[in-house]
Amino acid sequence: MTDITKDAIAPPRSFLSQDAIQLFYRLLAALLICAVLAVLSDSFLSLGNILNVLRQASLTFFIASGLTLVVLTAGLDLSVGANVALSACIAGTVIHKTGSPALGILTGLACGGIVGLLNGIMVTALRIPSFIATYGMLWVLNGLTYWYMAGETLHGFPAGFRQIGSGYLFGLPIPVYLLLVFLGIGTFFAQRTIWGQEIYAIGANPVAARLSGIPVARRLLLVYAVSGTMAGLASIIFLSRLNSAEADIGESLTLPAIAAVLIGGTSLFGGVGTVFGTFIGALILTLVLNGMNLLSVSANWQPLVTGVIVILAVWLDMKTRRRAQ
């Protein structure tokens, strides 16, 4: 029993080992992209554009950070974008009807967490593969959101609430501060807590994790609930940033979140990756999208470029794993 336990829990990836090397390469890639864009576009290094990149990267990160924990368990959550849309619309309605931003924020977080918990129940209790369960949930949430909104758009929220997504503090956008807070919390949770180590163990070897006494089902429920709650948090940021909510607000959010996770080095096969890597992945993806906008690349080509980047990230992950084996 002792040996199995060690095999199951041993690997939390050290920040000073292979993960650190991978993160170093990704940071170099981000710097290289910055250098290229600085040469190609005069406005790339402007303060306004840099702050815009940080704000956009933070929005992607909020969704992708929770998704990272799911992918670490070798799972996937395809419903995060639809979760953001439903949570934003419900939170916006609560704010409109009660005039209380605090109640709206709590409602958005709760809605996101409940959706994540339902995903976890489908994966653990019903034993539905996460890809299928969350893909079905995506359609359920889309249907609910379009039915709930009935073609209407919510807009005009209190000025104090709009500061969350649009305000500045000491020259930096407020979402960047929130990013730093949740980056610290996520990194500490994944790297320094027993629960975080157990999540790595489940992704690396679920059978050994179960035999070693790790409550796999409960940990998976936790992971999916956290992913949903982070989607709920993202919905609040988007609601505040856009000052409006409509049913299609989340349609373009899922692919960039998955891309950020994979570009950041988290393996689709589980057990490998870091929340900090996801932040770097979100930054790289945002830089690429920002560069295409500055260089006037057609919007029709941008999803294609994102898709190619995701394919390359998965291919490199598979190649690295085969070489390690």
Side-chain angles (χ1 to χ4, degrees):
M1 178 65 74
T2 301
D3 292 338
I4 292 175
T5 302
K6 287 181 178 179
D7 289 342
I9 296 193
R13 315 294 293 184
S14 169
F15 231 55
L16 299 177
S17 62
Q18 190 65 27
D19 283 335
I21 297 173
Q22 296 294 329
L23 287 174
F24 175 73
Y25 286 134
R26 285 171 171 80
L27 281 171
L28 281 183
L31 291 174
L32 180 61
I33 293 171
C34 288
V36 171
L37 291 178
V39 172
L40 296 179
S41 172
D42 295 334
S43 57
F44 174 73
L45 290 179
S46 67
L47 179 60
N49 187 61
I50 296 297
L51 294 179
N52 183 51
V53 167
L54 291 175
R55 189 198 305 273
Q56 293 300 324
S58 66
L59 295 175
T60 301
F61 172 79
F62 292 131
I63 306 174
S65 59
L67 185 58
T68 301
L69 300 182
V70 174
V71 178
L72 281 174
T73 65
L76 194 60
D77 186 351
L78 296 176
S79 67
V80 286
N83 193 353
V84 169
L86 180 63
S87 299
C89 292
I90 292 179
T93 302
V94 170
I95 294 174
H96 266 206
K97 290 188 177 298
T98 67
S100 171
L103 191 57
I105 292 170
L106 291 175
T107 304
L109 294 175
C111 179
I114 290 171
V115 169
L117 194 59
L118 291 175
N119 282 332
I121 291 173
M122 287 193 289
V123 171
T124 56
L126 304 182
R127 298 184 180 280
I128 301 174
S130 61
F131 177 86
I132 303 298
T134 58
Y135 186 64
M137 181 61 79
L138 180 157
W139 287 98
V140 169
L141 296 178
N142 278 341
L144 282 174
T145 307
Y146 277 96
W147 167 79
Y148 180 72
M149 295 301 289
E152 296 185 1
T153 300
L154 298 170
H155 55 80
F157 297 103
F161 176 72
R162 295 204 303 272
Q163 289 296 309
I164 297 174
S166 305
Y168 288 79
L169 185 64
F170 302 118
L172 282 178
I174 289 177
V176 176
Y177 291 100
L178 294 175
L179 179 151
L180 294 175
V181 170
F182 283 94
L183 177 60
I185 293 173
T187 300
F188 178 80
F189 175 78
Q191 303 286 333
R192 299 300 179 192
T193 68
I194 294 295
W195 285 14
Q197 294 179 20
E198 291 176 348
I199 289 170
Y200 278 100
I202 292 169
N205 192 333
V207 175
R210 187 173 292 107
L211 292 176
S212 68
I214 294 174
V216 175
R218 278 185 285 171
R219 294 295 174 267
L220 289 177
L221 281 175
L222 170 71
V223 162
Y224 283 92
V226 169
S227 177
T229 303
M230 291 305 295
L233 174 65
S235 76
I236 300 301
I237 306 295
F238 273 95
L239 192 63
S240 171
R241 171 69 175 159
L242 300 176
N243 194 26
S244 67
E246 51 190 331
D248 63 353
I249 190 176
E251 288 185 353
S252 61
L253 301 179
T254 301
L255 178 58
I258 295 174
V261 173
L262 300 181
I263 294 169
T266 300
S267 172
L268 271 176
F269 302 97
V272 176
T274 63
V275 175
F276 187 78
T278 295
F279 163 64
I280 300 299
L283 186 61
I284 289 175
L285 184 64
T286 305
L287 285 170
V288 171
L289 294 174
N290 179 258
M292 286 192 289
N293 287 329
L294 291 177
L295 300 175
S296 300
V297 176
S298 168
N300 296 329
W301 286 97
Q302 296 188 16
L304 184 150
V305 173
T306 304
V308 169
I309 292 174
V310 171
I311 292 171
L312 285 175
V314 174
W315 176 72
L316 288 173
D317 169 51
M318 295 177 64
K319 188 176 181 180
T320 302
R321 287 174 61 88
R322 286 171 183 159
R323 183 175 298 173
Q325 291 171 355

